[in-house]
Amino acid sequence: QIKMHRCIIECIYRMVFKMNLQEIITKLISDGFTEAGIAKQVSADQSTIQRIKKGSEPKYGLGCRIKALYMEHVGKPISE
């Protein structure tokens, strides 16, 4: 069971890091997040999230926080 859990985490990790930030933000929004909600979770301004959604590249640290938020979101059990 531990191997299966680790495999799932590795698959999610690979999937997320192949996605660009624009795709990740769009997916989070389609899953019910708002730009303001994403911004609050990753310590950014809503306007920054909007710019990224339109294709702007953020600083490395912010990009990592957005990807971590998405990994946390997709890694939750379906019942939550």
Side-chain angles (χ1 to χ4, degrees):
Q1 181 147 1
I2 292 174
K3 281 186 175 183
M4 178 65 106
H5 188 262
R6 185 176 184 170
C7 179
I8 291 168
I9 290 172
E10 288 175 6
C11 288
I12 291 170
Y13 181 84
R14 281 190 216 109
M15 175 192 71
V16 169
F17 281 86
K18 287 183 180 177
M19 295 173 74
N20 67 42
L21 293 171
Q22 195 173 11
E23 292 171 321
I24 289 172
I25 290 172
T26 299
K27 178 66 175 144
L28 287 169
I29 290 170
S30 74
D31 287 352
F33 283 79
T34 62
E35 289 178 2
I38 295 168
K40 184 175 181 180
Q41 293 280 335
V42 299
S43 302
D45 294 327
Q46 179 272 330
S47 59
T48 301
I49 300 303
Q50 184 179 41
R51 283 193 301 276
I52 296 167
K53 188 174 87 173
K54 292 181 178 183
S56 178
E57 283 295 318
K59 292 186 177 181
Y60 179 79
L62 176 56
C64 289
R65 291 193 303 274
I66 293 168
K67 289 181 178 189
L69 172 64
Y70 186 70
M71 284 185 63
E72 180 181 313
H73 171 65
V74 298
K76 290 187 176 181
I78 293 171
S79 61
E80 289 188 6

